[in-house]
């Protein structure tokens, strides 16, 4: 894997279990404005013959822990926006890049992602600390709950576990902000793709809510839409939830293009694949990379965003690798 080559100073890079990962040791990358926004030579993204999520996705969300309803509403609206028509550039327009990936039958990734069920695990069924593997047990609990269990859907189900600000997760904030994988039948009963993303608001906003917060260890002020030093405000008012949305977007793009970790990734090591969103870490607009988020929009309150969603919402999501253009791309691209 080539994480050294394309990560911005925050260095959220790929880690095993297809994680949105990061490493402080890569701070030395700080001064290097390397990015792949306009380059294709260094990327060896390959298809490894496995399936992609081509059938319409039924998304099931598990809210683990104690959640603020306002934050839930923001995240829910983002999920609704994935398959809704909003004015350009929309979240669905952003997802169009993901849809360019196909499997060996020629089927594209679906454009239909429907929020089909939610489960509130407000009793912290597996405690306040979750190992990576315990995320699968959280899913098992949700599909076996009585009375309001989530369906166990091995045909086109995708499970998204979201942990509240107080929940600690193995490697969270140190190595990962989220990850995706698939469940083991002996834990959940079937193999289904899933992703986990944590709310970093109290634990590490400077690490996982980039670019709305700034890593303390960096010694530098936060990035902004114009390359200056004024901090970019979160478009929906919560650094943790708005930061989570870009991580959720990242994980949804990757779980769809590499659900069983045998489809689309770069690098020779399937335990540490570099996936379609890993290639564009820290890039949210034209010119992005190396600590500059790129050209994004800014509203009158100073909030940064690059896509629009339902109910007039605005979100900031990182770009993903476009396999046709062979560069990172998003609907707010200047070209
Ligand atoms: C499916 O993927 C192919 C190859 O990237 C692309 O040319 C085509 O436009 C895609 N179709 C949709 C509906 O996105």
């Amino acid at each position: 894997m080539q994480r050294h080559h394309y990560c911005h100073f925050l260095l959220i890079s790929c880690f095993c279990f297809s994680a949105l990962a990061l490493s402080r040791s890569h701070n030395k990358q700080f001064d290097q404005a390397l990015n792949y926004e306009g380059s294709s030579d260094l990327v060896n993204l390959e298809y490894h013959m496995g399936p992609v999520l081509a059938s319409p996705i039924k998304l099931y969300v598990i809210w683990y822990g104690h959640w603020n309803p306002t934050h839930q509403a923001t995240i829910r609206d983002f999920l609704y926006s994935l398959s809704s028509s909003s004015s350009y550039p929309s979240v669905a327009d952003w997802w169009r890049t993901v849809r360019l990936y196909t499997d060996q039958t020629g089927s594209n990734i679906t454009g239909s992602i429907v929020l089909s069920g939610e489960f509130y695990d407000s009793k912290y069924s597996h405690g306040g600390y979750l190992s990576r593997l315990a995320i699968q047990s959280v899913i098992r609990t949700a599909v076996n709950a009585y009375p309001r269990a989530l369906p166990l859907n091995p045909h086109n189900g995708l499970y998204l576990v979201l942990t509240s600000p107080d929940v600690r997760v193995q490697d969270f904030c140190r190595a990962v902000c989220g990850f995706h994988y698939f469940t083991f039948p002996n834990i959940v009963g079937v193999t289904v793709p899933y992703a986990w993303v944590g709310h970093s608001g109290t634990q590490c906003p400077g690490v996982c809510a980039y670019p709305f917060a700034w890593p303390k260890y960096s010694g530098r002020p936060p990035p902004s839409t114009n390359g200056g030093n004024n901090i970019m405000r979160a478009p929906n008012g919560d650094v943790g939830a708005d930061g989570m949305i870009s991580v959720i977007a990242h994980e949804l793009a990757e779980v769809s293009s590499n659900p069983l970790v045998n489809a689309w990734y770069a690098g020779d090591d399937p335990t540490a694949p570099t996936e379609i969103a890993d290639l564009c870490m820290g890039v949210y607009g034209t010119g992005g990379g190396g600590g500059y988020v790129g050209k994004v929009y800014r509203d009158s309150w100073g909030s940064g965003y690059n896509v629009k969603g339902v109910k007039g919402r605005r979100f900031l999501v990182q770009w993903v690798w476009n396999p046709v253009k062979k560069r990172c791309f998003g609907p707010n691209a200047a070209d």
Side-chain angles (χ1 to χ4, degrees):
M1 93 174 244
Q2 303 188 341
R3 69 178 73 152
H4 296 272
H5 297 298
Y6 44 73
C7 292
H8 64 93
F9 62 94
L10 231 202
L11 217 283
I12 300 183
S13 73
C14 175
F15 198 66
C16 69
F17 278 53
S18 308
L20 170 50
L22 47 98
S23 166
R24 292 172 194 206
S25 64
H26 294 161
N27 252 345
K28 58 183 180 294
Q29 299 284 322
F30 205 104
D31 298 325
Q32 299 177 21
L34 292 179
N35 75 86
Y36 283 174
E37 208 245 316
S39 151
S40 61
D41 299 346
L42 299 168
V43 172
N44 64 336
L45 186 67
E46 285 177 345
Y47 176 59
H48 297 81
M49 307 311 280
V52 300
L53 299 187
S55 301
I57 294 168
K58 290 200 168 198
L59 185 65
Y60 303 102
V61 172
I62 298 167
W63 303 98
Y64 191 88
H66 184 70
W67 273 90
N68 175 326
T70 305
H71 301 168
Q72 287 177 305
T74 303
I75 292 167
R76 207 178 277 121
D77 283 345
F78 173 73
L79 299 174
Y80 284 135
S81 299
L82 286 159
S83 302
S84 296
S85 52
S86 308
S87 61
Y88 196 90
S90 68
V91 177
D93 293 323
W94 171 85
W95 188 257
R96 266 180 234 289
T97 300
V98 180
R99 295 177 65 189
L100 295 173
Y101 290 85
T102 56
D103 63 16
Q104 57 173 305
T105 73
S107 302
N108 290 69
I109 290 175
T110 182
S112 170
I113 302 173
V114 177
L115 181 54
S116 303
E118 296 181 57
F119 182 80
Y120 297 81
D121 193 333
S122 49
K123 293 192 177 133
Y124 302 78
S125 64
H126 294 268
Y129 171 82
L130 301 173
S131 66
R132 284 172 172 262
L133 202 53
I135 302 286
Q136 297 196 24
S137 301
V138 169
I139 296 171
R140 181 189 61 212
T141 297
V143 299
N144 288 317
Y146 183 82
R148 271 187 279 275
L150 282 185
L152 181 54
N153 178 349
H155 305 295
N156 57 354
L158 172 59
Y159 294 79
L160 179 61
V161 178
L162 303 175
T163 49
S164 60
D166 54 333
V167 176
R168 289 173 304 117
V169 175
Q170 181 181 4
D171 296 332
F172 185 31
C173 294
R174 284 170 295 282
V176 298
C177 301
F179 69 80
H180 75 87
Y181 207 57
F182 50 85
T183 60
F184 292 113
N186 64 348
I187 299 177
V188 175
V190 294
T191 296
V192 287
Y194 72 93
W196 157 76
V197 179
H199 186 293
S200 65
T202 52
Q203 295 183 59
C204 60
V207 177
C208 291
Y210 175 87
F212 305 120
W214 188 246
K216 290 187 182 69
Y217 57 83
S218 70
R220 292 249 308 235
S224 76
T225 48
N226 57 13
N229 288 345
N230 46 340
I231 192 164
M232 184 188 293
R233 289 179 51 169
N236 299 284
D238 182 70
V239 166
D242 275 301
M244 240 181 137
I245 281 165
S246 191
V247 182
I248 291 170
H250 176 120
E251 296 303 331
L252 291 179
E254 294 190 337
V255 74
S256 299
S257 53
N258 201 23
L260 302 183
V261 200
N262 60 4
W264 288 96
Y265 63 88
D268 298 327
D269 183 357
T271 68
T274 299
E275 300 172 302
I276 70 167
D278 294 324
L279 291 166
C280 305
M281 286 305 312
V283 178
Y284 300 78
T286 298
Y292 172 50
V293 298
K295 198 166 184 297
V296 301
Y297 310 112
R298 198 146 177 164
D299 67 20
S300 46
W301 292 279
S303 307
Y305 68 98
N306 62 359
V307 287
K308 299 176 189 173
V310 298
K311 303 179 195 164
R313 292 261 195 200
R314 291 160 168 183
F315 305 103
L316 185 74
V317 294
Q318 68 148 94
W319 283 7
V320 294
W321 186 259
N322 181 311
V324 178
K325 296 180 191 294
K326 302 210 183 303
R327 62 186 176 99
C328 296
F329 191 76
N332 58 311
D335 53 339

